[in-house]
Amino acid sequence: MTEWLIDLMEVLGAPGAGIAIALENLFPPLPSEVILPLAGFTASQGEMNLAAVLSWTTAGSVIGALMLYAVGAMLGRERTLALAARIPLLKVSDIAKTEAWFLKHGRKTVFFGRMIPIFRSLISVPAGVERMPLGVFTLLTTAGSLLWNTVFVLAGWMLGENWALVETYVGVGTNAVIAAVALAVLVFVGTRLTQRRKGRHAVGA
């Protein structure tokens, strides 16, 4: 994976790192935990300007997030509810609860969500569905992304040739997030199945 990143940055410099981060928003399997430290290491070798790397990677984060926001905005609330109604075990009331929660905590979610693996990409979609004011969304995304990117770019800068250690340690946190989500999904499905069985027994009685 690192070869095409290196080639991209060799050809385009800091803008290449920004493009890679924009793609990471659209394709989460491209981890920023690899892109950012590698960009920091490259900057430490004098091949790119550190400030330019931070600027371009943050711009890439915002551009990628805005693309996903647009997807959510085009999907809209009505289509989201219609899709939810077709998904087994999912109730329209679940979407309504999620919507209410997002309306109350959306700003904090967008800001801190930029620093959570996987969710930093996905959080842009509900923001678009709920039509969070674009200026607010852009500001929060920029602030959260700048903080996240700075930490990882500087880690790569300071670790030098050992920049890959960043991915190793962050991978543990990413796996923990995935495990937590998987557990939450299993609990949700189990609860729904139990409710259905109780409902059938009540009707039969």
Side-chain angles (χ1 to χ4, degrees), residues 181-198:
V181 172
L183 179 61
V185 170
L186 288 174
V187 171
F188 174 81
V189 171
T191 301
R192 281 288 182 266
L193 290 174
T194 301
Q195 290 174 347
R196 281 193 173 187
R197 288 171 186 166
K198 288 182 178 178

PDB file of all heavy atoms in Angstrom, residues 181-198:
ATOM      1  N   VAL A 181     -18.371  -2.046  17.993  1.00  0.00           N
ATOM      2  CA  VAL A 181     -19.486  -1.899  17.044  1.00  0.00           C
ATOM      3  C   VAL A 181     -20.132  -3.251  16.777  1.00  0.00           C
ATOM      4  O   VAL A 181     -21.364  -3.375  16.757  1.00  0.00           O
ATOM      5  CB  VAL A 181     -18.994  -1.275  15.719  1.00  0.00           C
ATOM      6  CG1 VAL A 181     -20.100  -1.300  14.675  1.00  0.00           C
ATOM      7  CG2 VAL A 181     -18.543   0.157  15.959  1.00  0.00           C
ATOM      8  N   ALA A 182     -19.310  -4.282  16.572  1.00  0.00           N
ATOM      9  CA  ALA A 182     -19.842  -5.620  16.320  1.00  0.00           C
ATOM     10  C   ALA A 182     -20.681  -6.103  17.501  1.00  0.00           C
ATOM     11  O   ALA A 182     -21.763  -6.687  17.320  1.00  0.00           O
ATOM     12  CB  ALA A 182     -18.693  -6.593  16.052  1.00  0.00           C
ATOM     13  N   LEU A 183     -20.201  -5.836  18.717  1.00  0.00           N
ATOM     14  CA  LEU A 183     -20.945  -6.223  19.916  1.00  0.00           C
ATOM     15  C   LEU A 183     -22.275  -5.482  19.995  1.00  0.00           C
ATOM     16  O   LEU A 183     -23.311  -6.079  20.316  1.00  0.00           O
ATOM     17  CB  LEU A 183     -20.103  -5.943  21.167  1.00  0.00           C
ATOM     18  CG  LEU A 183     -20.766  -6.270  22.513  1.00  0.00           C
ATOM     19  CD1 LEU A 183     -21.091  -7.765  22.579  1.00  0.00           C
ATOM     20  CD2 LEU A 183     -19.846  -5.875  23.654  1.00  0.00           C
ATOM     21  N   ALA A 184     -22.240  -4.181  19.677  1.00  0.00           N
ATOM     22  CA  ALA A 184     -23.468  -3.384  19.711  1.00  0.00           C
ATOM     23  C   ALA A 184     -24.489  -3.905  18.699  1.00  0.00           C
ATOM     24  O   ALA A 184     -25.690  -3.969  18.988  1.00  0.00           O
ATOM     25  CB  ALA A 184     -23.145  -1.919  19.424  1.00  0.00           C
ATOM     26  N   VAL A 185     -24.002  -4.292  17.531  1.00  0.00           N
ATOM     27  CA  VAL A 185     -24.897  -4.841  16.498  1.00  0.00           C
ATOM     28  C   VAL A 185     -25.509  -6.153  16.965  1.00  0.00           C
ATOM     29  O   VAL A 185     -26.714  -6.395  16.806  1.00  0.00           O
ATOM     30  CB  VAL A 185     -24.134  -5.048  15.174  1.00  0.00           C
ATOM     31  CG1 VAL A 185     -24.996  -5.834  14.183  1.00  0.00           C
ATOM     32  CG2 VAL A 185     -23.743  -3.711  14.583  1.00  0.00           C
ATOM     33  N   LEU A 186     -24.694  -7.016  17.574  1.00  0.00           N
ATOM     34  CA  LEU A 186     -25.196  -8.299  18.071  1.00  0.00           C
ATOM     35  C   LEU A 186     -26.245  -8.102  19.162  1.00  0.00           C
ATOM     36  O   LEU A 186     -27.272  -8.790  19.185  1.00  0.00           O
ATOM     37  CB  LEU A 186     -24.030  -9.134  18.608  1.00  0.00           C
ATOM     38  CG  LEU A 186     -23.064  -9.710  17.558  1.00  0.00           C
ATOM     39  CD1 LEU A 186     -21.893 -10.390  18.237  1.00  0.00           C
ATOM     40  CD2 LEU A 186     -23.794 -10.691  16.645  1.00  0.00           C
ATOM     41  N   VAL A 187     -25.996  -7.152  20.056  1.00  0.00           N
ATOM     42  CA  VAL A 187     -26.965  -6.854  21.122  1.00  0.00           C
ATOM     43  C   VAL A 187     -28.262  -6.325  20.520  1.00  0.00           C
ATOM     44  O   VAL A 187     -29.366  -6.716  20.928  1.00  0.00           O
ATOM     45  CB  VAL A 187     -26.378  -5.829  22.120  1.00  0.00           C
ATOM     46  CG1 VAL A 187     -27.464  -5.347  23.089  1.00  0.00           C
ATOM     47  CG2 VAL A 187     -25.219  -6.442  22.882  1.00  0.00           C
ATOM     48  N   PHE A 188     -28.124  -5.439  19.526  1.00  0.00           N
ATOM     49  CA  PHE A 188     -29.301  -4.874  18.867  1.00  0.00           C
ATOM     50  C   PHE A 188     -30.135  -5.970  18.202  1.00  0.00           C
ATOM     51  O   PHE A 188     -31.355  -6.034  18.372  1.00  0.00           O
ATOM     52  CB  PHE A 188     -28.861  -3.848  17.827  1.00  0.00           C
ATOM     53  CG  PHE A 188     -29.987  -3.298  16.992  1.00  0.00           C
ATOM     54  CD1 PHE A 188     -30.797  -2.284  17.475  1.00  0.00           C
ATOM     55  CD2 PHE A 188     -30.239  -3.810  15.724  1.00  0.00           C
ATOM     56  CE1 PHE A 188     -31.838  -1.785  16.709  1.00  0.00           C
ATOM     57  CE2 PHE A 188     -31.282  -3.323  14.949  1.00  0.00           C
ATOM     58  CZ  PHE A 188     -32.080  -2.301  15.444  1.00  0.00           C
ATOM     59  N   VAL A 189     -29.467  -6.835  17.428  1.00  0.00           N
ATOM     60  CA  VAL A 189     -30.169  -7.916  16.730  1.00  0.00           C
ATOM     61  C   VAL A 189     -30.808  -8.865  17.736  1.00  0.00           C
ATOM     62  O   VAL A 189     -31.970  -9.279  17.577  1.00  0.00           O
ATOM     63  CB  VAL A 189     -29.209  -8.685  15.804  1.00  0.00           C
ATOM     64  CG1 VAL A 189     -29.888  -9.939  15.252  1.00  0.00           C
ATOM     65  CG2 VAL A 189     -28.737  -7.784  14.673  1.00  0.00           C
ATOM     66  N   GLY A 190     -30.065  -9.217  18.797  1.00  0.00           N
ATOM     67  CA  GLY A 190     -30.606 -10.107  19.817  1.00  0.00           C
ATOM     68  C   GLY A 190     -31.837  -9.529  20.487  1.00  0.00           C
ATOM     69  O   GLY A 190     -32.825 -10.234  20.733  1.00  0.00           O
ATOM     70  N   THR A 191     -31.803  -8.232  20.781  1.00  0.00           N
ATOM     71  CA  THR A 191     -32.940  -7.568  21.417  1.00  0.00           C
ATOM     72  C   THR A 191     -34.157  -7.578  20.507  1.00  0.00           C
ATOM     73  O   THR A 191     -35.280  -7.856  20.940  1.00  0.00           O
ATOM     74  CB  THR A 191     -32.576  -6.112  21.767  1.00  0.00           C
ATOM     75  OG1 THR A 191     -31.446  -6.107  22.650  1.00  0.00           O
ATOM     76  CG2 THR A 191     -33.750  -5.407  22.444  1.00  0.00           C
ATOM     77  N   ARG A 192     -33.928  -7.285  19.227  1.00  0.00           N
ATOM     78  CA  ARG A 192     -35.035  -7.262  18.265  1.00  0.00           C
ATOM     79  C   ARG A 192     -35.663  -8.657  18.118  1.00  0.00           C
ATOM     80  O   ARG A 192     -36.882  -8.802  18.059  1.00  0.00           O
ATOM     81  CB  ARG A 192     -34.547  -6.765  16.920  1.00  0.00           C
ATOM     82  CG  ARG A 192     -34.405  -5.264  16.850  1.00  0.00           C
ATOM     83  CD  ARG A 192     -35.795  -4.612  16.821  1.00  0.00           C
ATOM     84  NE  ARG A 192     -35.672  -3.164  16.715  1.00  0.00           N
ATOM     85  CZ  ARG A 192     -35.676  -2.335  17.735  1.00  0.00           C
ATOM     86  NH1 ARG A 192     -35.806  -2.813  18.966  1.00  0.00           N
ATOM     87  NH2 ARG A 192     -35.558  -1.041  17.559  1.00  0.00           N
ATOM     88  N   LEU A 193     -34.835  -9.692  18.018  1.00  0.00           N
ATOM     89  CA  LEU A 193     -35.351 -11.054  17.868  1.00  0.00           C
ATOM     90  C   LEU A 193     -36.148 -11.470  19.097  1.00  0.00           C
ATOM     91  O   LEU A 193     -37.198 -12.115  18.987  1.00  0.00           O
ATOM     92  CB  LEU A 193     -34.197 -12.029  17.631  1.00  0.00           C
ATOM     93  CG  LEU A 193     -33.490 -11.910  16.270  1.00  0.00           C
ATOM     94  CD1 LEU A 193     -32.278 -12.835  16.222  1.00  0.00           C
ATOM     95  CD2 LEU A 193     -34.444 -12.238  15.129  1.00  0.00           C
ATOM     96  N   THR A 194     -35.661 -11.084  20.272  1.00  0.00           N
ATOM     97  CA  THR A 194     -36.385 -11.393  21.511  1.00  0.00           C
ATOM     98  C   THR A 194     -37.731 -10.694  21.543  1.00  0.00           C
ATOM     99  O   THR A 194     -38.748 -11.283  21.933  1.00  0.00           O
ATOM    100  CB  THR A 194     -35.547 -10.968  22.729  1.00  0.00           C
ATOM    101  OG1 THR A 194     -34.297 -11.651  22.711  1.00  0.00           O
ATOM    102  CG2 THR A 194     -36.277 -11.296  24.030  1.00  0.00           C
ATOM    103  N   GLN A 195     -37.761  -9.442  21.123  1.00  0.00           N
ATOM    104  CA  GLN A 195     -39.013  -8.699  21.086  1.00  0.00           C
ATOM    105  C   GLN A 195     -40.009  -9.336  20.121  1.00  0.00           C
ATOM    106  O   GLN A 195     -41.208  -9.403  20.399  1.00  0.00           O
ATOM    107  CB  GLN A 195     -38.748  -7.242  20.687  1.00  0.00           C
ATOM    108  CG  GLN A 195     -38.031  -6.433  21.760  1.00  0.00           C
ATOM    109  CD  GLN A 195     -37.661  -5.039  21.286  1.00  0.00           C
ATOM    110  OE1 GLN A 195     -37.714  -4.733  20.086  1.00  0.00           O
ATOM    111  NE2 GLN A 195     -37.291  -4.180  22.221  1.00  0.00           N
ATOM    112  N   ARG A 196     -39.518  -9.810  18.988  1.00  0.00           N
ATOM    113  CA  ARG A 196     -40.400 -10.447  18.006  1.00  0.00           C
ATOM    114  C   ARG A 196     -41.001 -11.733  18.566  1.00  0.00           C
ATOM    115  O   ARG A 196     -42.187 -12.015  18.396  1.00  0.00           O
ATOM    116  CB  ARG A 196     -39.626 -10.764  16.719  1.00  0.00           C
ATOM    117  CG  ARG A 196     -39.423  -9.558  15.826  1.00  0.00           C
ATOM    118  CD  ARG A 196     -38.947  -9.995  14.461  1.00  0.00           C
ATOM    119  NE  ARG A 196     -38.896  -8.891  13.525  1.00  0.00           N
ATOM    120  CZ  ARG A 196     -38.639  -9.021  12.227  1.00  0.00           C
ATOM    121  NH1 ARG A 196     -38.410 -10.227  11.725  1.00  0.00           N
ATOM    122  NH2 ARG A 196     -38.612  -7.976  11.428  1.00  0.00           N
ATOM    123  N   ARG A 197     -40.172 -12.527  19.234  1.00  0.00           N
ATOM    124  CA  ARG A 197     -40.665 -13.777  19.801  1.00  0.00           C
ATOM    125  C   ARG A 197     -41.717 -13.514  20.867  1.00  0.00           C
ATOM    126  O   ARG A 197     -42.740 -14.199  20.926  1.00  0.00           O
ATOM    127  CB  ARG A 197     -39.491 -14.561  20.396  1.00  0.00           C
ATOM    128  CG  ARG A 197     -38.571 -15.169  19.347  1.00  0.00           C
ATOM    129  CD  ARG A 197     -37.336 -15.731  19.970  1.00  0.00           C
ATOM    130  NE  ARG A 197     -36.386 -16.199  18.963  1.00  0.00           N
ATOM    131  CZ  ARG A 197     -35.121 -16.493  19.222  1.00  0.00           C
ATOM    132  NH1 ARG A 197     -34.636 -16.344  20.446  1.00  0.00           N
ATOM    133  NH2 ARG A 197     -34.321 -16.915  18.248  1.00  0.00           N
ATOM    134  N   LYS A 198     -41.481 -12.535  21.708  1.00  0.00           N
ATOM    135  CA  LYS A 198     -42.443 -12.198  22.761  1.00  0.00           C
ATOM    136  C   LYS A 198     -43.759 -11.726  22.125  1.00  0.00           C
ATOM    137  O   LYS A 198     -44.841 -12.045  22.609  1.00  0.00           O
ATOM    138  CB  LYS A 198     -41.880 -11.118  23.679  1.00  0.00           C
ATOM    139  CG  LYS A 198     -40.764 -11.600  24.596  1.00  0.00           C
ATOM    140  CD  LYS A 198     -40.294 -10.484  25.506  1.00  0.00           C
ATOM    141  CE  LYS A 198     -39.213 -10.989  26.463  1.00  0.00           C
ATOM    142  NZ  LYS A 198     -38.699  -9.895  27.340  1.00  0.00           N
TER     143      LYS A 198
END
